Amino acid sequence: MSMKKCQQVEIDAADPFKNDVLDRKANIEILTQFITSYEQSIVLCIDAGWGQGKTTFIKMWQQYLKNQDIPTIYFNAWESDYTDDALIALIGEIGLSIQELVGEDKTTAEKIMGHLYKLAVNFTKAAAPAMVNLIIKAVCGSLTDADEVSKASGNLSESLVKEQITKYEESRKTLGNFKEALSKLARCYADGDAHKPLVIFIDELDRCRPNFAIEVLEKAKHLFNVDNIIFVLATDKTQLGHSIRAVYGQGLDVDGYLRRFIDFDYLLPKPQKNQEFFKGLIYQYKIENFIKNSDYFFERYCFLLNKYNLTLREQESFFNTLNLVLRVDYQTSLKENNSNYGRNIHTHYFFTFFLIILKTKFIELYKIIINSEDVDDLDILIKHINSYLISQDNNIDINIDWLKAIIIFIKVKQYKNITITGMGEAELFKSYLKKYDLPPERYTFYSLLDHNYRNFGNELNFIIKIIDLNGNLIQLN
């Protein structure tokens, strides 16, 4: 049995929107018009939560810009935060991208990069830390003249202060040379067209170490503040704010702080075509080969998808696990009775979906189902179901009631101190059905306890075993 994880969306070089199931083309076209209307340097933030497709969005946009002959560079900040210096990482990524240039532009760019490397030494952590801090503060505008520099460095000796002031003045000149070289480099990328910007995409900033993320922002805004260089940050601003507060304290006005570095925000719209996305996942995994009653499968998944508001990444995680469950069940059934479908899963889609979602999104509730031997934890689980799974569809209401009954069944089977209740399993099970308003006369809940229904426990055990990847298993037979 061949298994694979969910693959990233393939960006077709000729048609970057070929696999665009979320209809991002219109967003990208509008943003392209926006950034190309500026000749000055700007920093644009693509803001979206975890798992909402930011990386796919900017890679699709990058390819679209390339097809419009607009030069781009992609920098994954998280993959580079093992370095001590964000400036070195940024310049290094620019240097690597020169290999995509051809002819005279490439030769000129290589010469400019050699000059930039020499100039950048003055702004890296290899330089005297005190001096670097003074330069950055001066560039930010918080220090405006030599007297303020002197005051800020009051902990240095008088002679050292004078020396640092001289270096500061020299470094201001170096900064000008650095920006001039960057401007020339941008023109090389644009093939000499002064109206074409160089667009630098910075991805995964919210996943970086707090200090590194802050340093990337500072360097991008202040050292690369050159006409026709556009920075596009793809980040979760809420998470980035947590990182910044981890450095500067919880009382910091994060929005005010970020406004120093980010000129424009673009809130990436939430996907409007979730069904197209998960159908793409089903096609990728070839899950349709293992589905019995596909209409029921789709309707129940769509219901849970909407109720739990699963992100794109959470959906990918869901289908990674579901793919494993369906394939193992299928292979097991072939060995046992040569069935065309798995014998354990197709009658328990709703419970299987629910359990995978808990493991993906609510791990503590998942652990209660898997590990807890306290039947009183039922209150927590039933309360959760009542809060999230509200339906106006009678057929789905039946699924929800059966889900509650199955969870009661599991918890009663797990209960090790049942003797102190003075009841057997059957009596305890019936008492909880009544407690949670699950009338046995409406459904055949009591059949779960029949001797002839012994396989029910085996089926649930099988599902849980796969989802939990052979972790702590419970005995339900």
Side-chain angles (χ1 to χ4, degrees):
M1 178 177 61
S2 177
M3 295 286 295
K4 64 178 181 179
K5 295 195 300 182
C6 184
Q7 303 298 306
Q8 289 189 347
V9 176
E10 182 181 351
I11 310 298
D12 187 272
D15 179 9
F17 306 112
K18 181 179 180 179
N19 299 314
D20 176 25
V21 298
L22 300 179
D23 277 350
R24 298 298 198 190
K25 181 179 180 180
N27 306 118
I28 286 173
E29 289 176 340
I30 290 171
L31 286 172
T32 300
Q33 292 177 10
F34 174 74
I35 64 170
T36 53
S37 66
Y38 278 87
E39 293 184 0
Q40 302 95 340
S41 175
I42 63 170
V43 177
L44 170 68
C45 177
I46 306 298
D47 182 15
W50 179 88
Q52 294 291 353
K54 297 186 294 295
T55 295
T56 299
F57 180 83
I58 64 171
K59 287 189 173 181
M60 201 176 289
W61 188 10
Q62 181 186 24
Q63 186 60 53
Y64 175 77
L65 291 176
K66 286 182 177 180
N67 293 352
Q68 304 296 315
D69 294 325
I70 296 174
T72 66
I73 294 172
Y74 176 81
F75 173 63
N76 189 313
W78 183 56
E79 290 181 354
S80 302
D81 84 340
Y82 64 88
T83 64
D84 292 329
D85 197 309
L87 180 60
I88 290 176
L90 274 169
I91 293 179
E93 199 67 42
I94 293 172
L96 290 172
S97 68
I98 286 178
Q99 302 307 314
E100 297 182 10
L101 299 177
V102 294
E104 185 177 342
D105 285 334
K106 182 176 181 180
T107 302
T108 304
E110 287 174 342
K111 291 179 180 178
I112 294 173
M113 280 305 302
H115 185 45
L116 276 174
Y117 290 146
K118 293 177 182 178
L119 294 172
V121 171
N122 295 275
F123 307 109
T124 63
K125 292 181 179 179
M131 194 62 239
V132 172
N133 288 335
L134 291 178
I135 294 169
I136 293 298
K137 289 181 179 179
V139 174
C140 291
S142 57
L143 300 179
T144 57
D145 56 34
D147 289 335
E148 291 186 14
V149 175
S150 177
K151 182 179 179 180
S153 55
N155 60 325
L156 302 175
S157 67
E158 183 177 351
S159 60
L160 185 57
V161 168
K162 291 180 180 179
E163 179 184 346
Q164 295 298 331
I165 291 173
T166 301
K167 289 183 177 180
Y168 161 73
E169 293 170 347
E170 294 174 353
S171 294
R172 287 301 297 262
K173 295 178 183 177
T174 302
L175 178 61
N177 294 333
F178 181 83
K179 290 188 173 184
E180 184 180 351
L182 275 178
S183 182
K184 291 179 180 178
L185 185 65
R187 285 197 292 273
C188 286
Y189 277 94
D191 196 24
D193 188 342
H195 299 290
K196 281 186 180 179
L198 169 61
V199 183
I200 302 177
F201 292 95
I202 298 181
D203 197 11
E204 305 278 21
L205 194 61
D206 47 319
R207 298 179 68 182
C208 295
R209 291 179 289 109
N211 286 331
F212 189 82
I214 291 170
E215 192 180 347
V216 169
L217 286 173
E218 289 179 343
K219 297 298 194 297
K221 181 64 175 177
H222 299 302
L223 298 185
F224 288 77
N225 185 19
V226 175
D227 288 351
N228 275 10
I229 291 185
I230 306 292
F231 278 95
V232 177
L233 313 178
T235 189
D236 179 350
K237 281 187 71 176
T238 300
Q239 185 58 46
L240 183 60
H242 294 325
S243 295
I244 293 170
R245 285 196 177 102
V247 175
Y248 291 120
Q250 295 303 310
L252 179 72
D253 176 9
V254 170
D255 289 335
Y257 177 84
L258 287 175
R259 278 196 294 272
R260 297 167 56 193
F261 306 104
I262 297 172
D263 299 303
F264 300 98
D265 290 303
Y266 181 78
L267 189 60
L268 189 64
K270 288 187 176 181
Q272 299 299 313
K273 290 193 172 182
N274 264 317
Q275 292 191 20
E276 295 300 321
F277 182 76
F278 85 72
K279 285 180 181 179
L281 293 175
I282 289 173
Y283 175 78
Q284 182 181 144
Y285 283 120
K286 297 180 172 56
I287 282 176
E288 68 275 6
N289 296 332
F290 307 99
I291 296 174
K292 184 177 183 179
N293 194 346
S294 59
D295 288 342
Y296 178 92
F297 179 98
F298 291 135
E299 288 173 4
R300 271 51 182 179
Y301 175 71
C302 285
F303 171 77
L304 292 171
L305 163 68
N306 293 324
K307 290 299 180 181
Y308 283 106
N309 195 26
L310 297 182
T311 68
L312 302 182
R313 192 166 296 168
E314 286 169 344
Q315 290 186 63
E316 289 177 348
S317 177
F318 175 94
F319 275 96
N320 274 332
T321 303
L322 181 64
N323 181 44
L324 173 67
V325 173
L326 291 172
R327 288 174 183 270
V328 171
D329 185 42
Y330 176 74
Q331 292 294 328
T332 302
S333 67
L334 286 181
K335 292 179 181 178
E336 294 181 355
N337 55 24
N338 199 30
S339 170
N340 289 327
Y341 296 96
R343 64 179 178 83
N344 298 287
I345 305 302
H346 67 266
T347 56
H348 301 301
Y349 282 147
F350 201 75
F351 169 72
T352 303
F353 295 169
F354 175 77
L355 196 59
I356 295 174
I357 288 173
L358 286 194
K359 188 176 183 182
T360 302
K361 201 173 179 79
F362 303 96
I363 189 63
E364 294 305 319
L365 291 178
Y366 173 80
K367 289 178 180 178
I368 287 176
I369 292 180
I370 300 300
N371 297 327
S372 173
E373 297 177 357
D374 187 352
V375 74
D376 291 334
D377 283 338
L378 270 171
D379 283 342
I380 299 173
L381 296 169
I382 300 299
K383 182 179 179 180
H384 171 85
I385 293 172
N386 290 336
S387 297
Y388 278 86
L389 305 185
I390 301 172
S391 170
Q392 304 299 322
D393 185 322
N394 185 60
N395 290 327
I396 291 182
D397 283 340
I398 294 173
N399 288 140
I400 294 171
D401 285 346
W402 268 100
L403 175 64
K404 294 176 184 177
I406 289 172
I407 289 174
I408 292 171
F409 175 86
I410 292 173
K411 300 313 293 180
V412 168
K413 286 288 186 179
Q414 287 174 310
Y415 194 34
K416 299 301 183 184
N417 297 319
I418 194 170
T419 55
I420 67 174
T421 66
M423 294 184 285
E425 282 186 356
E427 289 75 19
L428 188 60
F429 178 68
K430 293 175 183 179
S431 72
Y432 275 106
L433 289 177
K434 293 178 181 178
K435 177 179 178 179
Y436 295 115
D437 194 27
L438 298 171
E441 63 274 7
R442 182 181 177 191
Y443 311 118
T444 56
F445 291 141
Y446 289 168
S447 66
L448 305 186
L449 304 173
D450 292 345
H451 178 72
N452 292 334
Y453 214 82
R454 187 176 180 84
N455 279 339
F456 181 76
N458 291 332
E459 291 168 359
L460 295 183
N461 220 11
F462 180 88
I463 295 169
I464 293 170
K465 178 180 179 180
I466 304 172
I467 294 175
D468 204 44
L469 297 179
N470 293 303
N472 297 319
L473 305 182
I474 56 181
Q475 295 302 316
L476 302 176
N477 48 19

